[in-house]
Amino acid sequence: MTFAEIKQRSLSRWETKQRTDKVRIIVGAGTCGQAAGARAVLRAIQASLAKHNLDASITQVGCIGLCYAEPLMDVVKPGQPRLCYGNVTPENAAQIIEDYLLRDNPRPDLALGTLGEGNIPGIPSLKDHPVLGPQVRIALRNCGNLDPRDIDGYIANGAYSGLVRALSMKPEAVIAEIKESGLRGRGGAGFPTGLKWEACRNAPGQPKYLVCNADEGDPGAFMNRALLEGDPHAVLEGMLIGAHAVGAREGYIYVRAEYPLAIEHLNTALAQMHDYGLVGDNIVGSGLSFHLKIKEGAGAFVCGEETALLASIEGKPGIPRVRPPFPAQAGLWGKPTVINNVETWGHVSAIMQKGASWFGGYGARTSKGTKTFSLVGKVARTGLIEVPMGMTLRQIVYDIGGGTSSGKPLKAVQTGGPSGGCLPASLLDLSVDYDSLAQAGAIMGSGGMIVADEDTCMVDLARYFLTFTQSESCGKCVPCRLGTRQMLMILEDITAGRGTPESMELLAELAESVKAGSLCGLGQTTPNPVLTTLRYFRDEYEAHIREKRCPALVCKDLIQYYIQPEKCRACMICLRNCPVEAISGGKRQVHVIDQSRCTKCGTCMDVCPEKFSAVTKLSGQPIPAATPAERSVWQLG
Amino acid sequence: MSDTALREILDSHGSESGSLVPVLQEIQGKYGYLPAEAMIEVAKRLRVDEATVYSVATFYAQFKLVPTGKHQVKVCCGTACHVRGGSKILDAAERELGIGAGATTEDREYSLDRVACFGSCALAPVVVVDKDVYGRMTPSRVKSVLDDSVRGGQQE
Ligand SMILES: Cc1cc2nc3c(=O)[nH]c(=O)nc-3n(C[C@H](O)[C@H](O)[C@H](O)COP(=O)(O)O)c2cc1C
Ligand code: FES
C-alpha cells in the first residue's frame, strides 16, 4: 500500500469513530492519572453506564498535562464540544453521567472547561485556561487527545506525513532542514541536532545506528514518559526520518524499566506500524528499511549518559568512556551512531511535517522552538507543560503554575535535576533558554523544574542531590567516586549540626575539583546544585553552621517538636498516634513530648487537629521552660 | 528453580553478549532474584566470564541477588517527592513493615525499596506497590495502601 492509501483508510476509520451518535467518554489514564485514582473512576463510569443502560464508548488517553487536576474525565455528547472535568472521584463520575447524560445538566460546578471547537453556556473554554492558554504544544501535540493504542487516529491527524515529505527529499536536504530549524538536543546538553546527524552521516563505517534516549534519569521529571505514553508515533516518526537522513537501518529505544506503560504503548505502536508497513523493510514502498528494538534499562542513572547507555545496550555495565570519539563517529559496537532524546525525536517529526521556518518562529535567539517542562514540587498547579523558549521563570511558575501550593513565598526553582542548579526568587525574571540558564549556574537539562518554598531547606536539597549522585556514580574515575562521597559527608555534617566555619570553603573547593576532574557529564555536573546553593543561599549554610539552626525547619538533627501548652486542648490524638510513646499527658492534661524519646517522625504535627495546631517545630532555640501544667504531667508520668 | 524454565529463557535469546541484560531481567522476572546457579548457566551460554555476569548483576539497581518478598513496596525518593515529604512516607512504610529500605520481611510477604522516580512527580509523594501507583500519599495512608495490596491491588 502507498502512504496515500494508508492515510485514506485511517482517515475514514477515524472519521467513522468521531461521527458516531454515541456518547464518548475519555479518561486520562497515563501513569499519573492512575496514581490519582483513574482506575477507580473508570470502574465507576462503567458501573454507572451499565446501571442506566447507557451506550457510550470509553477511551483511555495519555497525559494532557493538567496533572494537578487528575483524575480527568471528558464527556463528548454528539454535536457538543468535549467537556473536561477535573479532580473526579468515583462518586462524582457517576453523578456527572447521570446529570449530563440523563438530565442534560453539564454540571458547570464540576467542569474545568471545554476543549476544541464550540462552547457550552456557563462553562469556560480551556483555550483561555491559565495553564493551557500560554502553551504551544509541538512535541506534546497529541498527548491527551488521541488514544495511543490506535494508530489510525494519529495518521488521520498528520502523523507520518513528515516522513513522507522527508522521503521525497535527499538525505542531505533533510539534514539541512533540521539544521535550519535551529533544533538543539532536548536531553540536556543542547547540541545542535542537524550537526550531530551530519557528523554521523559523513563518518566512515557501516552499519549506522540510531538510538532514542528514553532513560529519563532526572528524578522529578516525566516529560519523556508522558510523550511516549501519549504519542509514541511522534517519536517513532522522528526516528524513521533520522534513519533516512543518516543512512541507518537499525535503531534502539532505551527506556527505563520504571516506565512499564510507556513500554507497552511503544510495543503496541510498533506492532501496528508493522501491519501498516511503516517499519521494517521497504517502508511504504520507498526503499527505506529500518528495524527498531526496545531495550529496557535496569536502574542506573548514569545510563542516561550517552556512552554509558551504548555500553548498556551492548550488554555491559553502563560505565561511560572518554569522548572523543563521539558516538556519531564511533558509537554502538564502534559504529557511527546518532543518539537523541525522546523529545528531540518528537520535534523532528513536527519540523518535517510543518517546516523549519514554522518551528524557528517560536523560541529565543539561540534556543529555537518549544521545550517541555515537568512543573512540580511546591507549586499550586503541578503538571506537564510545553512553552516557547524565552518565557521567564515567573511566567512559568506564577502564570501557569499559579504560584506556590502553600501560598508561602517562593524560595527557589531548581532546573536540570541532579546536574542543574537552584535559582533564587530574585532571578524569576530570567529567560528560560539554554544560554541564560547556564549563565546563572543552572542548566536547561531535560526539563525538570522543581519549585521550592520557604519550607524547603536548600542545604538539605543539596545534600539530597549529592546522596543521589554519590550512589549513582559508576566509580570509574576518582574525582567523581571519592569527591562526591567527601562532598556528601560535609553536607551531612552541616545538616546534622556538625559543620565548622571551614566547611563551606572546603565544599566549594571540592566542588570545583570534581567539576574539573571528572570523566563524564555526571561528575562534571554533580557539583552544580552545591555550587548554586552556596552562591545564592549562603545565609542558610551559615545558619546551620554557626547557629545550628535550620531556617526551613527541615533538618531533623536541628529541630525539635514542641507542643505549645497554651494551645493544647488535651485531646489525646497525638498521644495515641505517637509511634514511640514519647508523649505523656492525659484527658484534661496538657500533652508533653519527651525529647529524649522523640524520633522526630512528625506524626504528632500531622495528626494535631487543624483548629488547635498546637504542635510546632523549633530550631536554634531551647525548648521553653516547663509551665506548671506541664510540670504536673511530668510528676504523674 | 526449575532447569527447564531457565533453559527456555536462555533459548529464547540469542547468544550474543547484548542479550546479557535482557536475559538477567527475564530470570529476575521469573524468580524474583538472580540465583547464583542461574548466573553461572548464563555465563556458559553467552560465553562470557562469570565475573562479567556478576559485575552486570551488581551494577544495575534492578537486580537482586537474594530472594525478595511476595509484594514489592517501592517508595519514591525522587526530587519532587523529596520536597513534598517523601522521606516521611518512607519512615512510615519502614515503621509499618518493621524493616528498613532494601530489606524483606521475615515472612517474605513484603520487600521495601526506595526508587529514584516513577515519573508521577506531579502527584508527589508517590508509592508503588507491585504494579499499582499511588499518588498524593500521606504517612497515615501508608497502612491502607499496604492492606490494598493484600486484597489484590487496585484491580483492573
Ligand atoms: C549523567 C548523565 C545523565 C543523562 N541522562 C540523560 C537522560 O536521562 N536522557 C537524555 O535524553 N539524555 C541524558 N543525558 C544526555 C546524553 O548524554 C546525551 O547528551 C543525549 O541523549 C543526547 O540527545 P540530545 O542531543 O537529543 O539531547 C545524560 C547525560 C549525563 C552526563
Ligand atoms: S520524584 Fe517521585 S515520582 Fe518523580
Side-chain angles (χ1 to χ4, degrees), chain A residues 185-188 196 213 215-217 301 304-306 339-341 344 521-522:
Chain A
R186 299 300 196 240
K196 190 187 277 189
N213 188 342
D215 200 43
E216 192 151 63
F301 171 65
E305 196 278 338
E306 54 190 26
I339 171 164
N340 276 130
N341 171 260
T344 314
L522 192 149

Side-chain angles (χ1 to χ4, degrees), chain A residues 31-32 34-35 39 43 67-68 70 219-222 225 256-257 259 295-300 302-303 312 314-319 376-379 382 405 450 460-461 464-465 468 556 579 601 603 606, chain B residues 16-22 25 52 55-56 59-63 77-80 82-84 88 91 95 114-123 126 131-136 139-141 154-156:
Chain A
T31 307
C32 34
Q34 294 189 11
R39 283 205 233 163
R43 281 198 300 275
C67 309
Y68 72 99
E70 293 275 12
F222 57 98
R225 172 187 67 70
R256 64 197 302 244
Y259 289 177
K295 284 268 177 182
E296 268 182 55
V302 73
C303 283
S312 180
E314 292 173 7
K316 301 178 194 148
I319 296 178
V376 296
K378 304 271 189 70
V379 64
T382 56
S405 46
I450 290 155
D460 173 72
L461 194 59
Y464 159 80
F465 277 121
F468 178 78
K556 259 192 183 178
C601 68
T603 304
D606 289 337
Chain B
E16 70 267 26
S17 61
S19 308
L20 181 50
V21 174
Q25 280 169 333
T52 306
S55 84
V56 167
F59 181 84
Y60 295 102
Q62 193 189 54
F63 295 126
C77 295
T79 320
H82 179 78
V83 302
R84 285 213 174 207
K88 283 196 177 150
D91 288 347
R95 259 200 321 272
R114 32 195 311 162
V115 165
C117 174
F118 292 105
S120 300
C121 327
L123 295 160
V126 175
K131 285 190 159 55
D132 292 330
V133 190
Y134 299 85
R136 299 176 184 140
S140 44
R141 240 187 94 202
Q154 291 174 338
Q155 294 135 28
E156 274 309 318

Side-chain angles (χ1 to χ4, degrees), chain A residues 304-390:
Chain A
E305 196 278 338
E306 54 190 26
T307 61
L309 187 149
L310 297 175
S312 180
I313 293 181
E314 292 173 7
K316 301 178 194 148
I319 296 178
R321 62 161 175 78
V322 180
R323 303 175 308 173
F326 288 91
Q329 283 118 25
L332 206 51
W333 290 292
K335 303 296 180 190
T337 303
V338 160
I339 171 164
N340 276 130
N341 171 260
V342 170
E343 187 182 335
T344 314
W345 292 117
H347 279 307
V348 163
S349 50
I351 292 168
M352 291 315 290
Q353 285 169 17
K354 297 200 167 173
S357 49
W358 162 80
F359 184 80
Y362 295 104
R365 213 168 45 86
T366 54
S367 309
K368 292 295 180 199
T370 52
K371 178 78 198 77
T372 60
F373 292 100
S374 67
L375 187 56
V376 296
K378 304 271 189 70
V379 64
R381 293 191 285 258
T382 56
L384 173 71
I385 59 166
E386 179 169 359
V387 294
M389 283 198 264

